[in-house]
Amino acid sequence: MRNLISAVSGGLFGLGLLISGMTDTAKVQGWLDLFGDWDPTLAFVLGGAILPMLLAWRIAPRRKVSVTGVAFPTMPRKVIDGRLLAGSALFGAGWALAGFCPGPALASITWGGLGGLTLLLAMIGGMIVSSLAGKRRLAAA
Amino acid sequence: MSLSSIPADWIFGLAGGLVIGLSAAVLLLGNARILGASGILGSVVEGSEPDTTTERLWFLGALVGAPAIAVVIFGAPQTHVSGNLPLLVIAGLMVGLGTRLANGCTSGHGVCGMSRFSTRSIVSTLVYLAAGFAVMAVARHILGVL
């Protein structure tokens, strides 16, 4: 059941990214290009995506557990640390340079050509670097 | 882009956005999981939380498979991905490292976190947007590399 729900969610996510135009790096970079030919589409995508989730977060506490009987994730502690700020800034910079964030990079891999594959593999490489750095930090502590 | 194409893009954006939000709601209410693309991919790459690796692989498989089928039927849209491979490697490393440090990306922080008014997610989203705007301004309008 959990696998089925995950697959349905992943499939909808991929189709949503495709329909919204977010697999087109020109649209994403157009959104970030405030000082050029600015493209507001991404605001509609983000706004549209937040609406069902506003509802879901209101339904969740009333049901207490998910359909599969798991407690809902608790609110993260309000820690704004250097890791969050530096990571977010690094992500935003890379997002602008390539026009891909992780979701669309995965969704478009079958038609993104060599460029899309290069970006995705480098992104996975960055995740491995982060994981190794984290293990080192743990070992040093 | 012609003027007449702009509203259609916005409508597709909104419609696609609603489907993205629905997908996140399905995962939350169904499996009590936050839909974060970087977290789901990153945890599979790292091999952390092995008990739930299978369901993440189902998610990732459908995330790649569903749009692939749609593209076979309706044709592939443009990705306009850069032909500058070194630039894509640098950008990819930054996105991969950055999203793992920040524990989230556009889906995890932007959609799931902001919709529950998580302070961390709102701060993260403001920072990655600001960084994106700044880097785009410099790279495209000052350095002329994009």
PDB file of all heavy atoms in Angstrom, chain A residues 21-58:
ATOM      1  N   GLY A  21       5.171  23.339 -16.999  1.00  0.00           N
ATOM      2  CA  GLY A  21       6.245  23.944 -17.800  1.00  0.00           C
ATOM      3  C   GLY A  21       7.556  24.068 -17.035  1.00  0.00           C
ATOM      4  O   GLY A  21       8.515  24.659 -17.537  1.00  0.00           O
ATOM      5  N   MET A  22       7.632  23.467 -15.827  1.00  0.00           N
ATOM      6  CA  MET A  22       8.835  23.632 -15.018  1.00  0.00           C
ATOM      7  C   MET A  22       9.988  22.741 -15.468  1.00  0.00           C
ATOM      8  O   MET A  22      11.094  22.837 -14.943  1.00  0.00           O
ATOM      9  CB  MET A  22       8.519  23.375 -13.532  1.00  0.00           C
ATOM     10  CG  MET A  22       7.629  24.433 -12.922  1.00  0.00           C
ATOM     11  SD  MET A  22       8.351  26.108 -13.003  1.00  0.00           S
ATOM     12  CE  MET A  22       7.480  26.850 -14.375  1.00  0.00           C
ATOM     13  N   THR A  23       9.729  21.865 -16.455  1.00  0.00           N
ATOM     14  CA  THR A  23      10.842  21.094 -17.018  1.00  0.00           C
ATOM     15  C   THR A  23      11.540  21.896 -18.118  1.00  0.00           C
ATOM     16  O   THR A  23      12.499  21.422 -18.713  1.00  0.00           O
ATOM     17  CB  THR A  23      10.357  19.745 -17.597  1.00  0.00           C
ATOM     18  OG1 THR A  23       9.356  20.003 -18.594  1.00  0.00           O
ATOM     19  CG2 THR A  23       9.762  18.858 -16.510  1.00  0.00           C
ATOM     20  N   ASP A  24      11.038  23.103 -18.385  1.00  0.00           N
ATOM     21  CA  ASP A  24      11.664  23.989 -19.364  1.00  0.00           C
ATOM     22  C   ASP A  24      12.546  24.988 -18.611  1.00  0.00           C
ATOM     23  O   ASP A  24      12.041  25.860 -17.898  1.00  0.00           O
ATOM     24  CB  ASP A  24      10.570  24.718 -20.155  1.00  0.00           C
ATOM     25  CG  ASP A  24      11.136  25.622 -21.239  1.00  0.00           C
ATOM     26  OD1 ASP A  24      12.384  25.817 -21.259  1.00  0.00           O
ATOM     27  OD2 ASP A  24      10.352  26.139 -22.040  1.00  0.00           O
ATOM     28  N   THR A  25      13.862  24.821 -18.758  1.00  0.00           N
ATOM     29  CA  THR A  25      14.785  25.669 -17.985  1.00  0.00           C
ATOM     30  C   THR A  25      14.627  27.145 -18.355  1.00  0.00           C
ATOM     31  O   THR A  25      14.900  28.016 -17.539  1.00  0.00           O
ATOM     32  CB  THR A  25      16.249  25.251 -18.225  1.00  0.00           C
ATOM     33  OG1 THR A  25      16.545  25.403 -19.615  1.00  0.00           O
ATOM     34  CG2 THR A  25      16.487  23.803 -17.820  1.00  0.00           C
ATOM     35  N   ALA A  26      14.162  27.420 -19.583  1.00  0.00           N
ATOM     36  CA  ALA A  26      13.987  28.816 -19.992  1.00  0.00           C
ATOM     37  C   ALA A  26      12.889  29.491 -19.164  1.00  0.00           C
ATOM     38  O   ALA A  26      12.985  30.681 -18.854  1.00  0.00           O
ATOM     39  CB  ALA A  26      13.645  28.884 -21.477  1.00  0.00           C
ATOM     40  N   LYS A  27      11.858  28.724 -18.775  1.00  0.00           N
ATOM     41  CA  LYS A  27      10.773  29.304 -17.971  1.00  0.00           C
ATOM     42  C   LYS A  27      11.258  29.593 -16.554  1.00  0.00           C
ATOM     43  O   LYS A  27      10.913  30.614 -15.960  1.00  0.00           O
ATOM     44  CB  LYS A  27       9.560  28.368 -17.926  1.00  0.00           C
ATOM     45  CG  LYS A  27       8.880  28.198 -19.257  1.00  0.00           C
ATOM     46  CD  LYS A  27       7.406  27.879 -19.136  1.00  0.00           C
ATOM     47  CE  LYS A  27       6.571  29.080 -18.751  1.00  0.00           C
ATOM     48  NZ  LYS A  27       6.619  30.184 -19.714  1.00  0.00           N
ATOM     49  N   VAL A  28      12.064  28.644 -16.016  1.00  0.00           N
ATOM     50  CA  VAL A  28      12.583  28.825 -14.655  1.00  0.00           C
ATOM     51  C   VAL A  28      13.569  29.999 -14.632  1.00  0.00           C
ATOM     52  O   VAL A  28      13.507  30.872 -13.762  1.00  0.00           O
ATOM     53  CB  VAL A  28      13.260  27.528 -14.166  1.00  0.00           C
ATOM     54  CG1 VAL A  28      13.939  27.749 -12.823  1.00  0.00           C
ATOM     55  CG2 VAL A  28      12.237  26.404 -14.075  1.00  0.00           C
ATOM     56  N   GLN A  29      14.466  30.019 -15.612  1.00  0.00           N
ATOM     57  CA  GLN A  29      15.442  31.113 -15.654  1.00  0.00           C
ATOM     58  C   GLN A  29      14.747  32.438 -15.964  1.00  0.00           C
ATOM     59  O   GLN A  29      15.174  33.487 -15.495  1.00  0.00           O
ATOM     60  CB  GLN A  29      16.541  30.798 -16.656  1.00  0.00           C
ATOM     61  CG  GLN A  29      17.432  29.655 -16.154  1.00  0.00           C
ATOM     62  CD  GLN A  29      18.572  29.318 -17.092  1.00  0.00           C
ATOM     63  OE1 GLN A  29      18.408  29.318 -18.312  1.00  0.00           O
ATOM     64  NE2 GLN A  29      19.729  29.022 -16.524  1.00  0.00           N
ATOM     65  N   GLY A  30      13.647  32.384 -16.732  1.00  0.00           N
ATOM     66  CA  GLY A  30      12.871  33.593 -17.009  1.00  0.00           C
ATOM     67  C   GLY A  30      12.238  34.149 -15.740  1.00  0.00           C
ATOM     68  O   GLY A  30      12.168  35.359 -15.542  1.00  0.00           O
ATOM     69  N   TRP A  31      11.808  33.249 -14.857  1.00  0.00           N
ATOM     70  CA  TRP A  31      11.246  33.664 -13.565  1.00  0.00           C
ATOM     71  C   TRP A  31      12.322  34.360 -12.701  1.00  0.00           C
ATOM     72  O   TRP A  31      12.053  35.332 -12.024  1.00  0.00           O
ATOM     73  CB  TRP A  31      10.675  32.446 -12.825  1.00  0.00           C
ATOM     74  CG  TRP A  31      10.646  32.561 -11.334  1.00  0.00           C
ATOM     75  CD1 TRP A  31      11.539  32.029 -10.457  1.00  0.00           C
ATOM     76  CD2 TRP A  31       9.676  33.269 -10.540  1.00  0.00           C
ATOM     77  NE1 TRP A  31      11.187  32.347  -9.165  1.00  0.00           N
ATOM     78  CE2 TRP A  31      10.054  33.110  -9.190  1.00  0.00           C
ATOM     79  CE3 TRP A  31       8.535  34.012 -10.834  1.00  0.00           C
ATOM     80  CZ2 TRP A  31       9.328  33.668  -8.127  1.00  0.00           C
ATOM     81  CZ3 TRP A  31       7.805  34.569  -9.782  1.00  0.00           C
ATOM     82  CH2 TRP A  31       8.198  34.394  -8.443  1.00  0.00           C
ATOM     83  N   LEU A  32      13.543  33.824 -12.780  1.00  0.00           N
ATOM     84  CA  LEU A  32      14.617  34.396 -11.941  1.00  0.00           C
ATOM     85  C   LEU A  32      15.201  35.673 -12.552  1.00  0.00           C
ATOM     86  O   LEU A  32      15.940  36.397 -11.897  1.00  0.00           O
ATOM     87  CB  LEU A  32      15.729  33.351 -11.742  1.00  0.00           C
ATOM     88  CG  LEU A  32      15.333  32.136 -10.900  1.00  0.00           C
ATOM     89  CD1 LEU A  32      16.449  31.103 -10.881  1.00  0.00           C
ATOM     90  CD2 LEU A  32      14.981  32.558  -9.470  1.00  0.00           C
ATOM     91  N   ASP A  33      14.854  35.933 -13.809  1.00  0.00           N
ATOM     92  CA  ASP A  33      15.435  37.071 -14.518  1.00  0.00           C
ATOM     93  C   ASP A  33      14.605  38.342 -14.285  1.00  0.00           C
ATOM     94  O   ASP A  33      13.941  38.854 -15.177  1.00  0.00           O
ATOM     95  CB  ASP A  33      15.513  36.748 -16.016  1.00  0.00           C
ATOM     96  CG  ASP A  33      16.359  37.754 -16.774  1.00  0.00           C
ATOM     97  OD1 ASP A  33      16.994  38.612 -16.130  1.00  0.00           O
ATOM     98  OD2 ASP A  33      16.378  37.673 -18.019  1.00  0.00           O
ATOM     99  N   LEU A  34      14.692  38.858 -13.064  1.00  0.00           N
ATOM    100  CA  LEU A  34      13.905  40.039 -12.682  1.00  0.00           C
ATOM    101  C   LEU A  34      14.243  41.255 -13.535  1.00  0.00           C
ATOM    102  O   LEU A  34      13.412  42.119 -13.758  1.00  0.00           O
ATOM    103  CB  LEU A  34      14.183  40.397 -11.216  1.00  0.00           C
ATOM    104  CG  LEU A  34      13.532  39.557 -10.131  1.00  0.00           C
ATOM    105  CD1 LEU A  34      13.926  40.114  -8.771  1.00  0.00           C
ATOM    106  CD2 LEU A  34      12.026  39.538 -10.278  1.00  0.00           C
ATOM    107  N   PHE A  35      15.503  41.309 -13.998  1.00  0.00           N
ATOM    108  CA  PHE A  35      15.952  42.505 -14.701  1.00  0.00           C
ATOM    109  C   PHE A  35      15.937  42.321 -16.216  1.00  0.00           C
ATOM    110  O   PHE A  35      16.490  43.121 -16.951  1.00  0.00           O
ATOM    111  CB  PHE A  35      17.356  42.903 -14.223  1.00  0.00           C
ATOM    112  CG  PHE A  35      17.400  43.103 -12.736  1.00  0.00           C
ATOM    113  CD1 PHE A  35      17.910  42.116 -11.896  1.00  0.00           C
ATOM    114  CD2 PHE A  35      16.886  44.260 -12.169  1.00  0.00           C
ATOM    115  CE1 PHE A  35      17.915  42.281 -10.520  1.00  0.00           C
ATOM    116  CE2 PHE A  35      16.888  44.436 -10.793  1.00  0.00           C
ATOM    117  CZ  PHE A  35      17.410  43.445  -9.972  1.00  0.00           C
ATOM    118  N   GLY A  36      15.301  41.229 -16.668  1.00  0.00           N
ATOM    119  CA  GLY A  36      15.200  41.001 -18.102  1.00  0.00           C
ATOM    120  C   GLY A  36      13.749  40.816 -18.501  1.00  0.00           C
ATOM    121  O   GLY A  36      12.869  41.531 -18.019  1.00  0.00           O
ATOM    122  N   ASP A  37      13.493  39.809 -19.357  1.00  0.00           N
ATOM    123  CA  ASP A  37      12.142  39.516 -19.822  1.00  0.00           C
ATOM    124  C   ASP A  37      11.494  38.590 -18.789  1.00  0.00           C
ATOM    125  O   ASP A  37      11.426  37.381 -18.978  1.00  0.00           O
ATOM    126  CB  ASP A  37      12.251  38.848 -21.207  1.00  0.00           C
ATOM    127  CG  ASP A  37      10.878  38.648 -21.839  1.00  0.00           C
ATOM    128  OD1 ASP A  37       9.904  39.224 -21.320  1.00  0.00           O
ATOM    129  OD2 ASP A  37      10.797  37.920 -22.836  1.00  0.00           O
ATOM    130  N   TRP A  38      11.022  39.180 -17.677  1.00  0.00           N
ATOM    131  CA  TRP A  38      10.578  38.407 -16.510  1.00  0.00           C
ATOM    132  C   TRP A  38       9.345  37.561 -16.830  1.00  0.00           C
ATOM    133  O   TRP A  38       8.404  38.051 -17.452  1.00  0.00           O
ATOM    134  CB  TRP A  38      10.281  39.336 -15.346  1.00  0.00           C
ATOM    135  CG  TRP A  38       9.994  38.598 -14.071  1.00  0.00           C
ATOM    136  CD1 TRP A  38      10.829  37.733 -13.418  1.00  0.00           C
ATOM    137  CD2 TRP A  38       8.787  38.646 -13.304  1.00  0.00           C
ATOM    138  NE1 TRP A  38      10.216  37.239 -12.284  1.00  0.00           N
ATOM    139  CE2 TRP A  38       8.969  37.789 -12.199  1.00  0.00           C
ATOM    140  CE3 TRP A  38       7.578  39.324 -13.435  1.00  0.00           C
ATOM    141  CZ2 TRP A  38       7.987  37.599 -11.223  1.00  0.00           C
ATOM    142  CZ3 TRP A  38       6.595  39.128 -12.469  1.00  0.00           C
ATOM    143  CH2 TRP A  38       6.796  38.275 -11.375  1.00  0.00           C
ATOM    144  N   ASP A  39       9.386  36.293 -16.420  1.00  0.00           N
ATOM    145  CA  ASP A  39       8.304  35.350 -16.680  1.00  0.00           C
ATOM    146  C   ASP A  39       7.673  34.927 -15.349  1.00  0.00           C
ATOM    147  O   ASP A  39       8.297  34.209 -14.564  1.00  0.00           O
ATOM    148  CB  ASP A  39       8.889  34.119 -17.417  1.00  0.00           C
ATOM    149  CG  ASP A  39       7.822  33.090 -17.751  1.00  0.00           C
ATOM    150  OD1 ASP A  39       6.711  33.155 -17.181  1.00  0.00           O
ATOM    151  OD2 ASP A  39       8.103  32.213 -18.584  1.00  0.00           O
ATOM    152  N   PRO A  40       6.448  35.363 -15.061  1.00  0.00           N
ATOM    153  CA  PRO A  40       5.855  35.083 -13.738  1.00  0.00           C
ATOM    154  C   PRO A  40       5.257  33.691 -13.579  1.00  0.00           C
ATOM    155  O   PRO A  40       4.693  33.391 -12.525  1.00  0.00           O
ATOM    156  CB  PRO A  40       4.766  36.162 -13.613  1.00  0.00           C
ATOM    157  CG  PRO A  40       4.372  36.481 -15.010  1.00  0.00           C
ATOM    158  CD  PRO A  40       5.579  36.212 -15.891  1.00  0.00           C
ATOM    159  N   THR A  41       5.385  32.808 -14.596  1.00  0.00           N
ATOM    160  CA  THR A  41       4.696  31.504 -14.542  1.00  0.00           C
ATOM    161  C   THR A  41       4.958  30.750 -13.230  1.00  0.00           C
ATOM    162  O   THR A  41       4.044  30.171 -12.649  1.00  0.00           O
ATOM    163  CB  THR A  41       5.128  30.611 -15.730  1.00  0.00           C
ATOM    164  OG1 THR A  41       4.908  31.322 -16.941  1.00  0.00           O
ATOM    165  CG2 THR A  41       4.332  29.318 -15.762  1.00  0.00           C
ATOM    166  N   LEU A  42       6.217  30.776 -12.769  1.00  0.00           N
ATOM    167  CA  LEU A  42       6.562  29.972 -11.595  1.00  0.00           C
ATOM    168  C   LEU A  42       5.742  30.359 -10.362  1.00  0.00           C
ATOM    169  O   LEU A  42       5.440  29.520  -9.526  1.00  0.00           O
ATOM    170  CB  LEU A  42       8.065  30.071 -11.309  1.00  0.00           C
ATOM    171  CG  LEU A  42       8.620  29.008 -10.355  1.00  0.00           C
ATOM    172  CD1 LEU A  42       9.977  28.528 -10.823  1.00  0.00           C
ATOM    173  CD2 LEU A  42       8.722  29.520  -8.925  1.00  0.00           C
ATOM    174  N   ALA A  43       5.353  31.636 -10.287  1.00  0.00           N
ATOM    175  CA  ALA A  43       4.527  32.066  -9.156  1.00  0.00           C
ATOM    176  C   ALA A  43       3.175  31.361  -9.192  1.00  0.00           C
ATOM    177  O   ALA A  43       2.631  30.982  -8.146  1.00  0.00           O
ATOM    178  CB  ALA A  43       4.337  33.578  -9.184  1.00  0.00           C
ATOM    179  N   PHE A  44       2.628  31.155 -10.392  1.00  0.00           N
ATOM    180  CA  PHE A  44       1.352  30.438 -10.527  1.00  0.00           C
ATOM    181  C   PHE A  44       1.530  28.970 -10.142  1.00  0.00           C
ATOM    182  O   PHE A  44       0.658  28.379  -9.519  1.00  0.00           O
ATOM    183  CB  PHE A  44       0.819  30.552 -11.959  1.00  0.00           C
ATOM    184  CG  PHE A  44       0.311  31.928 -12.292  1.00  0.00           C
ATOM    185  CD1 PHE A  44       1.165  32.892 -12.805  1.00  0.00           C
ATOM    186  CD2 PHE A  44      -1.014  32.263 -12.075  1.00  0.00           C
ATOM    187  CE1 PHE A  44       0.703  34.165 -13.093  1.00  0.00           C
ATOM    188  CE2 PHE A  44      -1.487  33.535 -12.357  1.00  0.00           C
ATOM    189  CZ  PHE A  44      -0.628  34.493 -12.875  1.00  0.00           C
ATOM    190  N   VAL A  45       2.661  28.394 -10.519  1.00  0.00           N
ATOM    191  CA  VAL A  45       2.938  26.995 -10.192  1.00  0.00           C
ATOM    192  C   VAL A  45       3.040  26.822  -8.675  1.00  0.00           C
ATOM    193  O   VAL A  45       2.379  25.960  -8.082  1.00  0.00           O
ATOM    194  CB  VAL A  45       4.241  26.514 -10.866  1.00  0.00           C
ATOM    195  CG1 VAL A  45       4.493  25.040 -10.528  1.00  0.00           C
ATOM    196  CG2 VAL A  45       4.182  26.712 -12.382  1.00  0.00           C
ATOM    197  N   LEU A  46       3.845  27.663  -8.057  1.00  0.00           N
ATOM    198  CA  LEU A  46       4.051  27.562  -6.614  1.00  0.00           C
ATOM    199  C   LEU A  46       2.748  27.836  -5.867  1.00  0.00           C
ATOM    200  O   LEU A  46       2.388  27.105  -4.939  1.00  0.00           O
ATOM    201  CB  LEU A  46       5.150  28.552  -6.178  1.00  0.00           C
ATOM    202  CG  LEU A  46       5.710  28.384  -4.772  1.00  0.00           C
ATOM    203  CD1 LEU A  46       6.276  26.987  -4.572  1.00  0.00           C
ATOM    204  CD2 LEU A  46       6.784  29.430  -4.484  1.00  0.00           C
ATOM    205  N   GLY A  47       2.020  28.863  -6.306  1.00  0.00           N
ATOM    206  CA  GLY A  47       0.728  29.179  -5.678  1.00  0.00           C
ATOM    207  C   GLY A  47      -0.248  28.024  -5.833  1.00  0.00           C
ATOM    208  O   GLY A  47      -0.910  27.622  -4.867  1.00  0.00           O
ATOM    209  N   GLY A  48      -0.319  27.463  -7.038  1.00  0.00           N
ATOM    210  CA  GLY A  48      -1.221  26.335  -7.290  1.00  0.00           C
ATOM    211  C   GLY A  48      -0.857  25.127  -6.460  1.00  0.00           C
ATOM    212  O   GLY A  48      -1.728  24.401  -5.978  1.00  0.00           O
ATOM    213  N   ALA A  49       0.442  24.896  -6.266  1.00  0.00           N
ATOM    214  CA  ALA A  49       0.899  23.724  -5.517  1.00  0.00           C
ATOM    215  C   ALA A  49       0.643  23.876  -4.024  1.00  0.00           C
ATOM    216  O   ALA A  49       0.383  22.892  -3.327  1.00  0.00           O
ATOM    217  CB  ALA A  49       2.386  23.481  -5.772  1.00  0.00           C
ATOM    218  N   ILE A  50       0.710  25.108  -3.544  1.00  0.00           N
ATOM    219  CA  ILE A  50       0.531  25.340  -2.107  1.00  0.00           C
ATOM    220  C   ILE A  50      -0.937  25.148  -1.698  1.00  0.00           C
ATOM    221  O   ILE A  50      -1.214  24.660  -0.599  1.00  0.00           O
ATOM    222  CB  ILE A  50       1.086  26.737  -1.723  1.00  0.00           C
ATOM    223  CG1 ILE A  50       2.624  26.673  -1.660  1.00  0.00           C
ATOM    224  CG2 ILE A  50       0.517  27.219  -0.390  1.00  0.00           C
ATOM    225  CD1 ILE A  50       3.298  28.002  -1.425  1.00  0.00           C
ATOM    226  N   LEU A  51      -1.880  25.462  -2.594  1.00  0.00           N
ATOM    227  CA  LEU A  51      -3.313  25.377  -2.235  1.00  0.00           C
ATOM    228  C   LEU A  51      -3.742  23.999  -1.706  1.00  0.00           C
ATOM    229  O   LEU A  51      -4.288  23.916  -0.603  1.00  0.00           O
ATOM    230  CB  LEU A  51      -4.187  25.795  -3.428  1.00  0.00           C
ATOM    231  CG  LEU A  51      -4.208  27.299  -3.749  1.00  0.00           C
ATOM    232  CD1 LEU A  51      -5.038  27.555  -5.014  1.00  0.00           C
ATOM    233  CD2 LEU A  51      -4.767  28.091  -2.576  1.00  0.00           C
ATOM    234  N   PRO A  52      -3.508  22.888  -2.468  1.00  0.00           N
ATOM    235  CA  PRO A  52      -3.927  21.581  -1.928  1.00  0.00           C
ATOM    236  C   PRO A  52      -3.209  21.232  -0.628  1.00  0.00           C
ATOM    237  O   PRO A  52      -3.776  20.561   0.243  1.00  0.00           O
ATOM    238  CB  PRO A  52      -3.535  20.586  -3.034  1.00  0.00           C
ATOM    239  CG  PRO A  52      -3.393  21.400  -4.264  1.00  0.00           C
ATOM    240  CD  PRO A  52      -2.949  22.763  -3.823  1.00  0.00           C
ATOM    241  N   MET A  53      -1.962  21.728  -0.496  1.00  0.00           N
ATOM    242  CA  MET A  53      -1.199  21.400   0.714  1.00  0.00           C
ATOM    243  C   MET A  53      -1.687  22.195   1.932  1.00  0.00           C
ATOM    244  O   MET A  53      -1.592  21.716   3.061  1.00  0.00           O
ATOM    245  CB  MET A  53       0.296  21.633   0.474  1.00  0.00           C
ATOM    246  CG  MET A  53       0.953  20.483  -0.260  1.00  0.00           C
ATOM    247  SD  MET A  53       0.664  18.893   0.542  1.00  0.00           S
ATOM    248  CE  MET A  53       1.832  18.983   1.901  1.00  0.00           C
ATOM    249  N   LEU A  54      -2.208  23.402   1.709  1.00  0.00           N
ATOM    250  CA  LEU A  54      -2.806  24.152   2.824  1.00  0.00           C
ATOM    251  C   LEU A  54      -3.949  23.315   3.408  1.00  0.00           C
ATOM    252  O   LEU A  54      -4.096  23.190   4.625  1.00  0.00           O
ATOM    253  CB  LEU A  54      -3.356  25.490   2.321  1.00  0.00           C
ATOM    254  CG  LEU A  54      -2.360  26.624   2.096  1.00  0.00           C
ATOM    255  CD1 LEU A  54      -3.056  27.809   1.433  1.00  0.00           C
ATOM    256  CD2 LEU A  54      -1.712  27.063   3.407  1.00  0.00           C
ATOM    257  N   LEU A  55      -4.740  22.732   2.502  1.00  0.00           N
ATOM    258  CA  LEU A  55      -5.867  21.891   2.898  1.00  0.00           C
ATOM    259  C   LEU A  55      -5.363  20.626   3.603  1.00  0.00           C
ATOM    260  O   LEU A  55      -5.864  20.242   4.660  1.00  0.00           O
ATOM    261  CB  LEU A  55      -6.653  21.527   1.633  1.00  0.00           C
ATOM    262  CG  LEU A  55      -8.105  21.143   1.788  1.00  0.00           C
ATOM    263  CD1 LEU A  55      -8.914  22.313   2.329  1.00  0.00           C
ATOM    264  CD2 LEU A  55      -8.682  20.708   0.431  1.00  0.00           C
ATOM    265  N   ALA A  56      -4.337  19.987   2.997  1.00  0.00           N
ATOM    266  CA  ALA A  56      -3.813  18.726   3.551  1.00  0.00           C
ATOM    267  C   ALA A  56      -3.282  18.924   4.973  1.00  0.00           C
ATOM    268  O   ALA A  56      -3.505  18.085   5.846  1.00  0.00           O
ATOM    269  CB  ALA A  56      -2.713  18.172   2.644  1.00  0.00           C
ATOM    270  N   TRP A  57      -2.593  20.041   5.193  1.00  0.00           N
ATOM    271  CA  TRP A  57      -2.056  20.296   6.537  1.00  0.00           C
ATOM    272  C   TRP A  57      -3.158  20.589   7.551  1.00  0.00           C
ATOM    273  O   TRP A  57      -2.962  20.486   8.752  1.00  0.00           O
ATOM    274  CB  TRP A  57      -1.058  21.472   6.512  1.00  0.00           C
ATOM    275  CG  TRP A  57       0.290  21.128   5.983  1.00  0.00           C
ATOM    276  CD1 TRP A  57       0.934  21.718   4.938  1.00  0.00           C
ATOM    277  CD2 TRP A  57       1.210  20.153   6.500  1.00  0.00           C
ATOM    278  NE1 TRP A  57       2.171  21.161   4.744  1.00  0.00           N
ATOM    279  CE2 TRP A  57       2.367  20.197   5.685  1.00  0.00           C
ATOM    280  CE3 TRP A  57       1.163  19.226   7.553  1.00  0.00           C
ATOM    281  CZ2 TRP A  57       3.468  19.360   5.902  1.00  0.00           C
ATOM    282  CZ3 TRP A  57       2.263  18.396   7.768  1.00  0.00           C
ATOM    283  CH2 TRP A  57       3.389  18.479   6.940  1.00  0.00           C
ATOM    284  N   ARG A  58      -4.360  20.988   7.073  1.00  0.00           N
ATOM    285  CA  ARG A  58      -5.492  21.193   7.985  1.00  0.00           C
ATOM    286  C   ARG A  58      -6.198  19.866   8.264  1.00  0.00           C
ATOM    287  O   ARG A  58      -6.739  19.662   9.351  1.00  0.00           O
ATOM    288  CB  ARG A  58      -6.487  22.194   7.393  1.00  0.00           C
ATOM    289  CG  ARG A  58      -5.953  23.613   7.360  1.00  0.00           C
ATOM    290  CD  ARG A  58      -7.013  24.580   6.891  1.00  0.00           C
ATOM    291  NE  ARG A  58      -8.067  24.751   7.881  1.00  0.00           N
ATOM    292  CZ  ARG A  58      -8.011  25.651   8.858  1.00  0.00           C
ATOM    293  NH1 ARG A  58      -6.967  26.453   8.972  1.00  0.00           N
ATOM    294  NH2 ARG A  58      -8.990  25.767   9.706  1.00  0.00           N
TER     295      ARG A  58
END
